[in-house]
Amino acid sequence: MKHLPLTKQQLVAAMISLSLGSAAQAALSINGSPESSARVSWGGADSLSEARNIMYSSKSSTAPIKKVDNGYGTTNITNANNYGSSSNSYNNTYNTTYRGGFGSSDMLPISTDSRSVAVIDVETGKSIYEKDADIARPMASITKVMTAMVVLDAGLDMREEITLDPEDFVGPKRASSRLKSGDRMNRAEMLLMALMKSENPAAKSLARNYPGGYDAFMRAMNRKAQELGMTTAYFGDPTGLDKRNVASSNDLVKMVRAAGNYDVIRRFSTTKSYDFYVANYSSGNRTYKASNTSSLVRSGDYPIGISKTGFINEAGRCVVMETRVNNRPAIIVILGANSSATRWGDAKNILTSLATRRTV
């Protein structure tokens, strides 16, 4: 089946189901059964179209997937691996037990140059590579994964239009943005803009338009971190520009694992590109052509199911991702790379090692 580009109208329609019912999670079960397992898809070219196929269904399913555990329980996951092509799709059901234990004998025989790295075998919940993975470090825009979960947990109307205010452009640091004060998009588009393009004003506007306002949103972020067992984590802002936003690599594994329970995060974070129609009464309407901040997602050479990059000076170059190599899922966290080349070099080194890893 060929996927057509997603229009703004289709994006709005795709998110309608998020505001229906009392679903606490954003992702929807694929068959509408309350007992169904989460549909795990590995992103790429068709991620946004796949989001539409799940959420803009004639079945109008509103059943949420199972509530994410704190990292120490057992979750059943059904994997639908499409690699961006329907001809490669298949289903594979397995049990994923998160034991919270580390120190597997089947460690990856690699070295990395980034300051902190964690690689987890999702099937066993065990570490297969660690480097200073228990030390809290600034995470930069990796923060936006938590921002997205808090937004989606609130069950807000994703069709609601949000207007960027001048305060959305004020933060702990100056950062470049192609957005403007007065830009208007709906909540779904702001979320896509934050996850795919990592636009800071979009993330801040989502927090500002949360029930109870910005301060309530920040409390919800830190509360969510506590619920996930992220003992080293602290969030001072929703964008990642605040150097106080810190967590260890092992705690960020927990966050990525939790984010896997939200199909919206899966699809949006692995969307290669999107043309946003941005309305603005003062400066006029325009098209904002955006591409994913991850070169690995843009290339489409790797099966990536969740992705988020980050950078501020204090954090270095960072990335978190979920991948599947040799039919084996893994979560990768890289913090504190001194350059983009180091970050992607470490990531490719890990992916290559996973490809040659013994899986039996």
Side-chain angles (χ1 to χ4, degrees):
M1 176 181 175
K2 183 179 180 181
H3 295 297
L4 299 176
L6 192 64
T7 66
K8 177 175 181 177
Q9 289 75 21
Q10 289 169 326
L11 176 63
V12 174
M15 303 300 292
I16 289 176
S17 58
L18 296 179
S19 62
L20 300 177
S22 58
Q25 302 289 354
L28 306 179
S29 61
I30 193 64
N31 61 12
S33 168
E35 296 301 317
S36 64
S37 300
R39 183 175 190 239
V40 178
S41 177
W42 309 88
D46 296 328
S47 288
L48 200 52
S49 293
E50 285 296 317
R52 179 193 62 189
N53 290 342
I54 289 178
M55 293 182 292
Y56 189 41
S57 169
S58 60
K59 295 179 181 179
S60 299
S61 168
T62 58
I65 62 172
K66 295 179 180 178
K67 179 69 174 178
V68 64
D69 60 40
N70 66 358
Y72 302 98
T74 299
T75 304
N76 293 325
I77 298 178
T78 300
N79 181 62
N81 187 348
N82 68 17
Y83 294 86
S85 170
S86 59
S87 62
N88 291 330
S89 62
Y90 63 92
N91 290 328
N92 177 33
T93 302
Y94 55 89
N95 289 327
T96 300
T97 303
Y98 304 129
R99 299 185 179 90
F102 302 100
S104 168
S105 61
D106 191 19
M107 302 294 284
L108 298 181
I110 60 173
S111 62
T112 54
D113 294 322
S114 299
R115 294 187 184 95
S116 178
V117 181
V119 184
I120 302 298
D121 182 323
V122 175
E123 286 194 352
T124 65
K126 291 187 178 297
S127 170
I128 52 178
Y129 181 81
E130 284 190 17
K131 178 181 179 181
D132 292 334
D134 290 319
I135 300 174
R137 297 181 183 276
M139 70 181 85
S141 283
I142 306 302
T143 295
K144 294 183 177 75
V145 175
M146 181 65 79
T147 299
M149 286 195 287
V150 171
V151 169
L152 294 170
D153 282 348
L156 304 172
D157 183 357
M158 302 305 287
R159 299 164 296 180
E160 181 182 357
E161 186 176 82
I162 293 176
T163 301
L164 294 180
D165 286 350
E167 66 183 283
D168 296 326
F169 294 81
V170 178
K173 291 179 177 292
R174 293 188 62 181
S176 62
S177 174
R178 289 164 53 199
L179 294 172
K180 303 175 183 178
S181 179
D183 282 349
R184 295 180 291 119
M185 290 179 285
N186 64 49
R187 185 174 277 106
E189 292 167 315
M190 291 290 187
L191 183 60
L192 176 59
M193 187 76 81
L195 286 174
M196 181 190 73
K197 185 60 177 171
S198 204
E199 276 280 13
N200 296 306
K204 189 167 183 183
S205 72
L206 290 168
R208 183 172 53 80
N209 286 276
Y210 184 80
Y214 183 88
D215 290 344
F217 190 89
M218 295 315 306
R219 290 192 294 271
M221 288 185 74
N222 285 293
R223 183 167 59 249
K224 181 82 171 179
Q226 292 176 353
E227 291 171 354
L228 294 175
M230 299 173 64
T231 58
T232 66
Y234 175 77
F235 294 94
D237 93 314
T239 69
L241 291 175
D242 192 332
K243 66 181 181 181
R244 296 177 301 165
N245 290 18
V246 298
S248 67
S249 288
N250 280 333
D251 272 352
L252 290 178
V253 166
K254 297 176 184 178
M255 185 178 75
V256 174
R257 191 164 56 196
N261 284 290
Y262 301 74
D263 267 326
V264 174
I265 295 177
R266 288 185 172 279
R267 315 301 179 172
F268 282 13
S269 72
T270 58
T271 296
K272 285 186 176 182
S273 62
Y274 186 78
D275 293 344
F276 293 87
Y277 177 80
V278 181
N280 191 308
Y281 290 128
S282 299
S283 61
N285 304 334
R286 69 189 188 280
T287 299
Y288 180 127
K289 294 181 178 293
S291 298
N292 199 292
T293 57
S294 168
S295 63
L296 300 186
V297 169
R298 294 196 306 270
S299 73
D301 294 335
Y302 301 93
I304 298 175
I306 295 173
S307 176
K308 189 69 197 76
T309 62
F311 170 74
I312 56 173
N313 288 332
E314 293 85 352
R317 305 284 174 172
C318 308
V319 66
V320 297
M321 68 181 79
E322 183 186 67
T323 186
R324 186 178 187 86
V325 181
N326 285 343
N327 200 34
R328 193 81 172 243
I331 292 173
I332 301 169
V333 175
I334 296 173
L335 300 179
N338 60 13
S339 68
S340 185
T342 297
R343 171 177 58 187
W344 299 125
D346 282 347
K348 292 177 181 179
N349 187 16
I350 292 167
L351 289 164
T352 299
S353 185
L354 287 171
T356 59
R357 177 179 173 233
R358 178 177 59 85
T359 58
V360 179

